[in-house]
């Protein structure tokens, strides 16, 4: 008798579609053990260790002296660093290949391996490139041919694109409705990574740049290999996503402020060993703080899901008892039918989901056939190119304007802070106004390019303190482009091939920088140089160059404005409508 009753119950449960929905929710709840919050923290820590290309100034002197290079040869190697760090097409293609997903019963699963494959490929390149350079600098290997050393540098810097692609694209898919904020966080921590790695050097390897090269071969390799298993795509959309992302944003601002204070102190006074160790321990504690936010977010998500499952489970039991009663007495309970929503109401939600407009997922070739792609590329060539040309020449600008070595070193160190503020701020602010007013994101790109034009003009003036003010404006606006461009790319072209497309657009940065650095800044500086060793002093050394770059940024503003008008209707009818639909759920 008991067995017969159990089998009948099982048949009823199998036929009840609400039971299947309940089981799917249980599976989702079980999957929360490996959550998008843990994936976010792992990505943040990987980003903090992967910006080794920003620390080139630490080991470039020993690379130059040990290999007997002149300045032009060292600049050639530095150019391969910029190319490797910005040309990430291969990382995008690999991500698209290994992160192909298909639908399972309750979630999406990767069928090609997942983002960890991209991290592993980056770790192999990072170790190979820096380890071979370290062997060359320490004399273990004989003096390497310049083309081979350029290849080592390219390989080491190219690893950064693999880490960045895996973290950014995964984060966008985990937080599709706050893509600007999460990209700003990821790009912001990457911008801070140079300053973080330099703090490691100041604490452990100060005065030993060759040992720093060995550290760059090990640390940015070990960290991704340990954490890459946690960086996964999770299709969950919690109601408190924005609240917890704001927590990550606050922690990023605190870390950036702390680094800025430490950088200024180190350029004013010489810290003793105990002081350096103490400041480094505090930095490590601050870097560990995002884990607390992730644990809190995980706990709140678990409580929310458990409450939902409890209510649905009780409702399912009541419905099951009601069905048995109806079969026993042969009549339905009118109260039950009154409480349940009508069939029309039940069908309206899936119909709304079905009819909700979506942006298309274009591949690289399809995207390159669009006019919007080239508008975005040209705008980035103007903005990123002029910004990178500025930071590459900031020491020479300071020297021509009689800034002390301490002042120019402070400017170079603080550039990473301004870069971070731009990356983080642009993503956060653009998300805020997109959700609140439906503003198309390219308008913020236009605003930052116009502001960058003002920053270049300020530097060109050569007035006292102009380099400080101008470098802040240019640095913040330069960082903004690195946050806005991937976000706009994901919204216009979709996330299916995001890694490939935004890494292709990133090529605009070294292209624009090469044209402006070599054909504009370098050419005019050499023409004005009259001092010993082809040096130049005075405002005339860079005035014309920066006026030209101000004009280039203004051109970028006009191009971004054109992109804004072309996509304004798309943002209003697709992106903003999608966000409103998500908010109603």
């Amino acid at each position: 008798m008991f067995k017969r009753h159990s089998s009948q119950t099982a048949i009823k449960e199998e036929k009840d579609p609400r039971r299947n929905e309940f089981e799917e929710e249980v599976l989702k709840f079980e999957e929360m053990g490996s959550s998008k919050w843990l994936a976010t923290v792992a990505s943040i820590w990987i980003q903090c260790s992967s910006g080794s290309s920003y620390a080139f100034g630490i080991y470039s002197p020993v690379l130059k002296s040990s290999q007997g290079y002149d300045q032009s040869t060292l600049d050639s190697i530095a150019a391969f660093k910029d190319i490797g760090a910005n040309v990430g097409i291969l990382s995008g293609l690999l991500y698209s290949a290994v992160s192909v997903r298909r639908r399972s019963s309750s979630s999406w699963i990767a069928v090609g391996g997942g983002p960890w494959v991209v991290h592993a490929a980056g770790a192999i390149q990072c170790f190979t490139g820096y380890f071979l350079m370290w062997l060359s600098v320490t004399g273990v290997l004989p003096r390497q041919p310049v083309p081979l050393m350029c290849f080592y540098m390219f390989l080491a810097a190219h690893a950064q694109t693999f880490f960045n692609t895996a973290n950014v694209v995964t984060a966008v898919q985990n937080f599709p409705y706050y893509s600007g904020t999460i990209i700003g966080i990821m790009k912001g921590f990457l911008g801070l990574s140079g300053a973080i790695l330099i703090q490691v050097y100041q604490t452990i390897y100060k005065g030993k740049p060759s040992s720093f090269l060995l550290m760059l071969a090990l640390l940015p390799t070990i960290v991704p290999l340990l954490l890459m298993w946690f960086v996964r795509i999770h299709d969950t959309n919690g109601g408190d996503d924005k609240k917890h992302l704001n927590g990550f944003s606050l922690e990023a601002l605190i870390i950036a402020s702390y680094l800025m204070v430490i950088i200024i102190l180190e350029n004013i006074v010489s810290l003793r060993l105990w002081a350096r160790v103490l400041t480094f321990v505090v930095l490590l504690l601050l870097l560990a703080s995002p884990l607390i936010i992730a644990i809190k977010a995980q706990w709140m998500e678990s409580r929310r899901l458990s409450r939902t499952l409890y209510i649905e489970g009780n409702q399912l039991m009541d419905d099951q008892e009601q069905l048995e009663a109806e079969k026993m007495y042969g009549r339905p309970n009118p109260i039950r039918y009154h409480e349940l929503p009508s069939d029309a109401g039940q069908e309206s939600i899936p119909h709304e989901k079905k009819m909700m407009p979506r942006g298309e997922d274009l591949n690289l070739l399809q995207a390159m056939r669009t006019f919007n792609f080239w508008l975005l590329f040209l705008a980035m060539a103007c903005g990123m190119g002029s910004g990178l040309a500025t930071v590459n020449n900031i020491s020479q600008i300071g020297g021509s304007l009689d800034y002390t070595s301490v002042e120019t070193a402070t400017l170079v160190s603080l550039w990473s802070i301004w870069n971070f503020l731009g990356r983080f701020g642009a993503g956060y602010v653009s998300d805020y106004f997109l959700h609140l007013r439906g503003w198309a994101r390219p308008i913020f790109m236009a605003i930052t390019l116009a502001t960058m034009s003002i920053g270049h003009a300020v530097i060109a003036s050569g007035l006292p303190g102009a380099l400080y003010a101008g470098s802040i404006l240019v640095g913040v606006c330069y960082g903004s482009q690195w946050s806005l461009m991937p976000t706009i790319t994901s919204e216009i072209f979709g996330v299916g091939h995001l890694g490939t497309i935004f890494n292709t657009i990133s090529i605009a940065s070294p292209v624009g920088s090469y044209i402006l650095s070599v054909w504009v800044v370098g050419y005019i500086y050499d023409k004005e140089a009259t001092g010993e060793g082809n040096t130049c002093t005075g405002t005339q050394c860079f005035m014309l160059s920066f006026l030209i770059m101000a004009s280039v940024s203004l051109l970028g503003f006009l191009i971004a404005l054109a992109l804004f008008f072309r996509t304004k209707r798309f943002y209003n009818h697709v992106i903003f409508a999608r966000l409103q639909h998500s908010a109603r759920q």
Side-chain angles (χ1 to χ4, degrees), residues 177 356-359 491 574-583:
Y177 300 111
M356 179 59 58
R358 292 282 182 182
E491 290 165 343
V574 177
I575 304 300
F576 187 52
R578 183 190 306 171
L579 296 176
Q580 288 182 316
H581 173 72
S582 173

Side-chain angles (χ1 to χ4, degrees), residues 195-203 259 262-263 266 280 283:
I196 293 172
L197 290 173
I198 290 175
Q199 287 304 308
V200 178
Y201 168 74
Q202 297 282 5
T203 304
L259 284 171
I262 296 303
I263 289 170
E266 288 176 343
F280 182 66
L283 177 61

Side-chain angles (χ1 to χ4, degrees), residues 9 28 36 52 74 79 82 154 170 177 190 209 331 383 386 428 468 473 491 504:
T9 303
K28 289 181 181 179
K36 63 184 179 183
S52 53
L74 186 65
D82 292 337
F154 172 85
T170 302
Y177 300 111
L190 179 63
R331 64 179 183 271
S386 62
Y428 186 88
Y468 284 101
L473 289 176
E491 290 165 343
T504 302

Side-chain angles (χ1 to χ4, degrees), residues 440-476:
R441 215 180 293 268
I443 191 61
F444 295 97
M445 180 176 290
I447 292 171
T448 56
L449 285 167
T451 307
M452 180 180 282
S453 179
I454 297 173
H456 288 312
V458 169
I459 295 175
S461 70
L463 296 173
L467 185 55
Y468 284 101
S471 65
I472 292 174
L473 289 176
V474 175
V476 170

